[in-house]
Amino acid sequence: MPDKLSAATGRPLQHLAGALPELRTPAPDWKLFRHEPQPGCHHCTARHPGGPVVQLLPHHRYVCTRHRIWIGPPDVTDLTTSLDTLPEVVHAQRQHLRILQRHGWAITYDAVLTAILICGQLWSLPETENGDAWHDWIRRANLLIPPGTSESTFSVSRLCAAVYPEAVALASRLASPYWKNRPRAAP
Ligand SMILES: [Zn+2]
């Protein structure tokens, strides 16, 4: 069947597998992917001849590090979220991938999601209780969602971008085997 599809379209199987994960050998680990397709980096897909492109992206892909574009989570429809002024967010994606390499996708997914929720909770507390991180979140949020433009620029995903560097730093601690073994050590 894949060979027939390749012959019918005139495209090598490995090119088709780039767009159709079902054709990949070995088969992908489907749990590694988000449950819905979304727009990816618009620079990466700009040359695609078929118009706007949606992609099934893995849980650990938040930033296109090549073009410094914020990608996910998938609630942004207008993906022009440039990170040119926020290099620490791009750097955090690289750190996120290192957690993935060290601990695997499941632990990384749980750790990053939990860390984002913790940072969101800390953000909601008074300024004096949160120090430098609180100021960084406000600074980044003002760049990503400029004051007075929230009707067109607000998205929860962009708030995730604002806390992403601290969330990934926290996630690397949460993913540590120390926490995994901790409950067993309890009396
Ligand atoms: Zn890109």
Side-chain angles (χ1 to χ4, degrees):
M1 176 62 182
D3 292 338
K4 286 181 183 171
L5 195 60
S6 178
T9 58
R11 290 177 180 272
L13 196 53
Q14 60 266 38
H15 288 190
L16 294 176
L20 299 168
E22 293 88 343
L23 297 180
R24 292 177 196 171
T25 310
D29 183 349
W30 289 104
K31 294 189 290 300
L32 188 144
F33 294 94
R34 292 179 176 145
H35 66 284
E36 60 179 328
Q38 67 180 101
C41 167
H42 59 281
H43 290 304
C44 285
T45 56
R47 290 171 63 190
H48 193 278
V53 176
V54 291
Q55 297 172 281
L56 197 61
L57 293 166
H59 292 297
H60 51 264
R61 185 57 66 182
Y62 282 66
V63 174
C64 172
T65 52
R66 185 177 172 209
H67 296 113
R68 299 183 299 279
I69 296 290
W70 180 254
I71 291 172
D75 75 346
V76 177
T77 51
D78 175 14
L79 281 175
T80 53
T81 309
S82 169
L83 298 172
D84 283 343
T85 57
L86 295 170
E88 69 271 36
V89 179
V90 180
H91 176 74
Q93 172 68 84
R94 298 193 180 98
Q95 189 183 1
H96 190 162
L97 295 176
R98 284 196 290 275
I99 300 172
L100 178 78
Q101 286 167 359
R102 197 169 301 151
H103 300 290
W105 76 264
I107 287 175
T108 304
Y109 172 80
D110 281 343
V112 171
L113 185 62
T114 302
I116 287 175
L117 293 172
I118 290 172
C119 289
Q121 284 292 315
L122 290 174
W123 194 348
S124 70
L125 295 175
E127 172 185 352
T128 51
E129 295 183 34
N130 295 287
D132 292 343
W134 192 93
H135 291 286
D136 281 332
W137 298 338
I138 296 294
R139 176 179 59 81
R140 291 183 201 128
N142 283 338
L143 288 168
L144 295 165
I145 308 168
T149 69
S150 63
E151 269 194 29
S152 59
T153 61
F154 177 84
S155 86
V156 173
S157 184
R158 285 179 177 174
L159 295 180
C160 288
V163 302
Y164 186 56
E166 287 73 27
V168 171
L170 176 59
S172 71
R173 306 284 182 95
L174 295 175
S176 151
Y178 171 84
W179 295 107
K180 191 176 168 188
N181 297 329
R182 193 70 182 158
R184 283 182 225 154

